[in-house]
Amino acid sequence: MFPTPIEKKSLPFNMTYRVAIWVALFLWLLPLIAVLMTSARSVADINAGNYWGIPSEWMLFENYTLVFTETPMLRYLLNSILITLPAVFGAVALSTLAGYALAKFKFRGSLALFAAFIAGNFVPFQILMIPVRDLTIGMGLYDTASGLILFHIAFQTGFCTLFMRNFIIGLPDELIEAARVEGVSELKIFWYIVLPLVRPALAALSVLIFTFIWNDYFWALVLVQSDEVRPITAGISALKGQWLASWQLIAAGSIVAALPPVILFFAMQRHFIAGLTLGATKG
Amino acid sequence: MQNLHSKQQKWMPVVFLAPAVVLFTVYVMFPILQSIWLSFYEWDGLGEKTFIGFSNYRELFDDYQFWVALKNNLYWMVFFMLAPPIGLAIALFLNQKVMGIRLVKSMFFFPFVLSQVVVGLVFSWFYDPSFGLFNKAIGLFGMEPVAVLSDENWVTFGIIVAGLWPQIAYCMILYLTGLNNLSPDQIEAARLDGAHGWKMLRFVILPQLRPATFIAVVVTVIGALRSFDLVATMTSGGPFGSSSVLAYFMYEQSIFNYRAGYGAAIATVLFVIMDIYIAYFLWRMLKSEKA
């Protein structure tokens, strides 16, 4: 283990370290802690310039209720869910199929196709912006959830295929070959043999791209314009303009916007990190 | 597997790949070509397109705003490169087994999970000239308050620091995973040979962390070139375009100024810059594929 385990050092050093990590954490998250505190402040506090001290009265419940009743925040939150869930499902489904084909079948151009998926995943969004916007308008899907969902599925398929292909290639060939010898159809092999084996990868991938899609802001700006469809990232940004001085509400709104991916992260931390660091230990 | 070339096997990959390939071609591959093609036209996004050859590019290279954006992208790339070493430093700091360390590690990672819009809001607060913590902090050292986000000289750096926050968290987690997978034998052997501290890090640990470093550098460069969300939420490119980056400049020209052809030319330049890194990444990736 590197650095040397702290247990081997002196007692004062140990004590210092154990305190230092929490102090460092506090400093690291200070900007966020401030937002959290602000979301619990009263208007009087804000007007008095009390942004960093302890709130003079705790308005946590009131502020969050206000956010949900006085603004379209609930609508935005719902929109985000309605956009993110189908997009995650679609991208993971398509890329599992594609990843399996690229990992376990030998055919000409498979490597080139794989390279295209990887490359596409890194391109700047702006090179896609005008054509994708036109395409979406042309299909009558501008300012609809479907327009955003379709784009997210298509774009995330690049990363997801890379991910699934690299996972599936590690699965043993013997199982698949044995089934083929038995005359099992390819679709059945995929459904009954491959799919159960990739379940951990599916979980990791899903939580990861849930966060990516949930946090998307650019495409929400480009493909959507009305409150009825707008996801929460674009929503909070729109609200910022309207409540210029109501920092406690913007703070509460930000916390609401951040919460779903944060909850997912803490609930499925192991999967999340496994997904994110794929390739960081080998290759 | 070779002698089992049944008809089914030959066609199955096509069936499995078709949905992904079709969608990816329509939404990613084809639009890239369309954008490059569009960059040779004068177009307001709605009406007739007029072919104008390289005029968009000629205009671009004479556009002061373009050079500002490009320079800022360069700053982003240079200063974003602090993320891997700082991430490594935090990873080394936290790579211990004491009580509560798992919670500390996940809380350190926290900024990465936040939307960039939220990060932007958080840091706008942090920098606020009248009540922001940043100015309170520098006030303690007797310095005058700085309105970071409305000062042409500071604004880009202010946004980059906001961008570094989640980026460092990402690099940290890559290195923590790497540190978890170090070969204990090599470390023990090096310890017996008397290596420790900096030497150990430099000659034994870092070589083993190379895959993590590679990914960290790639995602950091891509992140720097993609920077849009923070610029859009924190300053909208202001004051007077001084914090704009190519991604935001392109968006501004196409959406607000109705100059789709010109926007496409900006996007193409960004795409060409990015291609260098994409090509390098692919090359590395395919090389390790063949090995």
Side-chain angles (χ1 to χ4, degrees):
Chain A
M1 198 171 149
F2 185 84
T4 313
I6 196 97
E7 296 86 28
K8 293 186 180 168
K9 299 272 173 79
S10 66
L11 186 67
F13 193 93
N14 260 277
M15 302 298 271
T16 317
Y17 178 77
R18 278 158 218 251
V19 174
I21 50 173
W22 292 98
V23 174
L25 180 63
F26 175 76
L27 291 174
W28 180 245
L29 292 181
L30 198 58
L32 197 67
I33 295 166
V35 173
L36 206 58
M37 301 276 278
T38 303
S39 77
R41 275 176 217 289
S42 62
V43 184
D45 261 10
I46 304 273
N47 290 339
N50 178 12
Y51 285 90
W52 299 97
I54 302 292
S56 61
E57 51 178 331
W58 290 87
M59 300 285 284
L60 196 67
F61 185 73
E62 291 82 348
N63 283 345
Y64 283 86
T65 313
L66 215 58
V67 162
F68 280 115
T69 51
E70 296 299 308
T71 73
M73 207 59 184
L74 195 61
R75 180 75 247 176
Y76 297 150
L77 196 64
L78 200 65
N79 291 340
S80 271
I81 294 168
L82 290 177
I83 290 162
T84 309
L85 289 182
V88 169
F89 179 80
V92 170
L94 292 194
S95 60
T96 308
L97 287 166
Y100 172 54
L102 290 173
K104 292 298 181 193
F105 290 85
K106 290 190 179 69
F107 58 95
R108 266 216 340 235
S110 76
L111 205 58
L113 205 55
F114 181 50
F117 277 120
I118 303 173
N121 164 53
F122 284 133
V123 300
F125 288 152
Q126 286 68 30
I127 193 96
L128 312 177
M129 186 187 103
I130 300 166
V132 167
R133 191 176 148 99
D134 281 349
L135 178 69
T136 307
I137 293 172
M139 291 191 299
L141 294 178
Y142 181 72
D143 206 21
T144 66
S146 317
L148 260 182
I149 293 168
L150 266 177
F151 174 79
H152 282 312
I153 293 178
F155 189 79
Q156 296 298 337
T157 294
F159 173 75
C160 295
T161 302
L162 160 69
F163 187 98
M164 290 313 294
R165 185 260 188 198
N166 281 355
F167 185 86
I168 293 173
I169 210 160
L171 300 178
D173 286 335
E174 289 77 17
L175 276 173
I176 298 164
E177 272 179 74
R180 274 185 192 145
V181 173
E182 294 287 320
V184 181
S185 82
E186 291 293 336
L187 279 178
K188 278 194 173 149
I189 293 179
F190 177 78
W191 192 259
Y192 291 107
I193 298 176
V194 178
L195 217 47
L197 289 174
V198 298
R199 223 175 271 158
L202 294 182
L205 189 57
S206 302
V207 289
L208 200 55
I209 66 166
F210 179 93
T211 313
F212 293 164
I213 298 174
W214 184 277
N215 287 342
D216 163 68
Y217 177 56
F218 183 74
W219 294 101
L221 282 185
V222 172
L223 299 180
V224 162
Q225 63 173 176
S226 70
D227 272 353
E228 282 68 46
V229 193
R230 199 175 267 155
I232 201 155
T233 44
I236 187 89
S237 167
L239 286 182
K240 193 182 83 172
Q242 295 167 26
W243 309 324
L244 229 36
S246 309
W247 286 101
Q248 77 283 14
L249 295 187
I250 305 172
S254 305
I255 301 289
V256 171
L259 226 42
V262 167
I263 293 171
L264 200 64
F265 166 67
F266 278 105
M268 307 195 62
Q269 207 178 131
R270 204 166 45 84
H271 285 306
F272 193 99
I273 290 172
L276 206 59
T277 54
L278 184 91
T281 50
K282 57 162 198 247
Chain B
M1 234 198 273
Q2 294 299 24
N3 51 9
L4 275 169
H5 266 305
S6 65
K7 219 179 196 166
Q8 209 193 13
Q9 253 215 3
K10 206 167 165 189
W11 285 105
M12 267 346 259
V14 179
V15 176
F16 284 141
L17 277 166
V21 169
V22 168
L23 214 55
F24 202 66
T25 309
V26 170
Y27 271 102
V28 181
M29 291 304 163
F30 194 57
I32 294 175
L33 300 177
Q34 273 181 306
S35 279
I36 297 172
W37 176 78
L38 259 179
S39 70
F40 297 105
Y41 285 80
E42 173 82 57
W43 188 38
D44 62 5
L46 297 163
E48 291 286 300
K49 301 183 184 75
T50 328
F51 182 79
I52 51 165
F54 282 93
S55 292
N56 280 329
Y57 290 96
R58 241 174 270 134
E59 183 183 343
L60 196 58
F61 295 136
D62 280 333
D63 189 335
Y64 173 72
Q65 189 55 54
F66 168 74
W67 295 107
V68 172
L70 190 66
K71 186 190 75 194
N72 284 338
N73 265 119
L74 211 66
Y75 282 143
W76 272 85
M77 279 170 66
V78 171
F79 289 98
F80 243 43
M81 276 303 145
L82 290 171
I86 299 177
L88 174 63
I90 299 179
L92 288 171
F93 176 56
L94 295 180
N95 193 34
Q96 295 290 349
K97 291 194 175 73
V98 298
M99 217 182 69
I101 195 74
R102 281 195 45 175
L103 182 66
V104 173
K105 283 179 190 169
S106 18
M107 296 297 274
F108 256 93
F109 181 63
F110 206 86
F112 181 76
V113 188
L114 298 178
S115 143
Q116 299 249 316
V117 176
V118 174
V119 173
L121 284 173
V122 167
F123 271 84
S124 304
W125 247 308
F126 183 67
Y127 290 134
D128 190 282
S130 50
F131 58 78
L133 198 60
F134 175 73
N135 277 306
K136 295 232 157 119
I138 64 170
L140 290 180
F141 298 97
M143 288 199 270
E144 290 291 305
V146 184
V148 179
L149 295 183
S150 42
D151 184 319
E152 287 184 35
N153 301 313
W154 289 107
V155 61
T156 293
F157 301 104
I159 304 174
I160 293 174
V161 168
L164 275 172
W165 196 43
Q167 194 66 31
I168 289 170
Y170 188 6
C171 294
M172 176 205 76
I173 212 79
L174 286 171
Y175 281 118
L176 273 174
T177 311
L179 287 171
N180 251 327
N181 288 290
L182 292 177
S183 134
D185 301 352
Q186 280 191 37
I187 299 177
E188 275 322 300
R191 280 219 171 103
L192 289 178
D193 285 340
H196 59 269
W198 173 251
K199 258 199 169 147
M200 177 79 123
L201 180 66
R202 170 78 185 75
F203 295 106
V204 182
I205 307 298
L206 276 183
Q208 290 190 62
L209 290 176
R210 204 171 286 155
T213 304
F214 174 63
I215 306 259
V217 169
V218 169
V219 294
T220 302
V221 171
I222 301 283
L225 286 170
R226 269 196 179 164
S227 51
F228 172 89
D229 295 6
L230 287 175
V231 175
T233 28
M234 291 174 80
T235 63
S236 305
F240 311 112
S242 58
S243 65
S244 193
V245 287
L246 290 177
Y248 189 80
F249 182 42
M250 182 277 168
Y251 172 79
E252 195 180 30
Q253 290 294 333
S254 321
I255 303 278
F256 299 138
N257 294 355
Y258 303 101
R259 297 201 60 194
Y262 196 52
I266 304 167
T268 305
V269 172
L270 182 60
F271 177 67
V272 169
I273 300 173
M274 209 103 132
D275 274 345
I276 303 166
Y277 296 92
I278 298 174
Y280 173 66
F281 183 76
L282 275 181
W283 177 72
R284 278 282 305 252
M285 190 96 186
L286 296 179
K287 208 175 68 173
S288 75
E289 250 345 278
K290 279 176 189 139

